[in-house]
């Protein structure tokens, strides 16, 4: 009898190919067969991990992504359609997609961090220019103070340069609080106008 033909007269299918075995393991995994899934994992993990590692270029992340891929494979094994490609190709597609997602996520995170850093960045300032500006402002204020009446100037100096409250200024100048507030307010108005004109 021709060994290439089965007893029914048809061609002998021979032993199952590795690709066929993976498809069978996937089908069994889809039915919740944990042993089949463990076998599938052992047969394909090295290749899938290698693909993921080439994409993410980080061993620790590659291990994480590989585990994520197999988790999805376990959950979606029933979606495998042998008419659309081999089991190994289906597994590798899931692994590759997971790896690309991880890379894109990392890149997006890096861009967000760079954007945040850029927004938070305070550009280095010119201390000499800042000092000159402060000195100029001080001169303007001093010049403007000379344009106030003596009582206004005294009240302003106590309140804004001495740091005293209106009540304290009133007590120090032996004035009613309302009068002290009026002098401070009027002095500030004149000060503001004088500085504004000089600008």
């Amino acid at each position: 009898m021709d060994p290439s033909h089965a007893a029914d007269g048809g061609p002998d299918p021979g032993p199952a190919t590795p690709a066929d075995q993976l498809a069978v393991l996937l089908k069994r995994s889809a039915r919740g067969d944990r042993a089949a899934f463990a076998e599938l994992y052992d047969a394909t993990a090295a290749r899938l991990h290698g693909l993921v590692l080439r994409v993410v270029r980080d061993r620790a992340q590659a291990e994480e992504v590989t585990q994520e891929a197999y988790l999805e494979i376990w959950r979606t094994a029933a979606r495998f359609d042998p008419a659309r490609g081999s089991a190994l190709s289906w597994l590798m597609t899931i692994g590759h997609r997971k790896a690309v997602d991880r890379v894109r996520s990392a890149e997006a995170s890096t861009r967000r961090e760079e954007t945040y850093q850029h927004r938070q960045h305070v550009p280095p300032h010119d201390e000499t220019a800042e000092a000159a500006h402060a000195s100029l402002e001080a001169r303007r204020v001093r010049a403007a103070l000379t344009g106030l009446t003596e009582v206004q100037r005294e009240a302003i100096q106590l309140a804004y340069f001495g740091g005293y409250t209106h009540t304290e200024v009133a007590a120090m100048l032996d004035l009613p609080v309302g009068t002290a507030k009026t002098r401070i307010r009027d002095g500030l108005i004149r000060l503001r106008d004088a500085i504004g004109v000089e600008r």
Side-chain angles (χ1 to χ4, degrees), residues 128-182:
T128 303
E130 189 175 84
H133 181 72
S135 177
L136 181 60
E137 288 297 308
R139 281 201 302 274
R140 284 178 173 163
V141 171
R142 281 197 299 271
L145 279 171
T146 61
L148 303 181
T149 67
E150 186 175 345
V151 292
Q152 288 172 341
R153 184 167 57 251
E154 193 174 31
I156 290 286
Q157 287 175 329
L158 287 172
Y160 288 92
F161 301 112
Y164 296 104
T165 66
H166 291 173
T167 302
E168 289 170 334
V169 170
M172 294 169 77
L173 297 179
D174 194 23
L175 296 170
V177 174
T179 303
K181 286 183 178 180
T182 299

Side-chain angles (χ1 to χ4, degrees), residues 30-63:
R31 294 193 295 268
D33 187 332
R34 294 177 179 273
F37 184 73
E39 194 176 338
L40 177 72
Y41 180 91
D42 291 341
T44 60
R47 288 186 65 178
L48 194 146
H49 180 264
L51 170 67
V52 169
L53 181 59
R54 286 196 297 276
V55 176
V56 302
R57 300 179 180 275
D58 178 272
R59 196 163 295 279
Q61 287 202 47
E63 290 175 2

Side-chain angles (χ1 to χ4, degrees), residues 58-71:
D58 178 272
R59 196 163 295 279
Q61 287 202 47
E63 290 175 2
E64 289 180 10
V65 171
T66 300
Q67 295 308 312
E68 290 172 7
Y70 276 101
L71 181 60

Side-chain angles (χ1 to χ4, degrees), residues 3-25:
S4 66
H5 286 73
D8 64 358
D12 185 349
T17 64
D20 291 338
Q21 290 172 354
L22 292 181
V24 169
L25 291 173

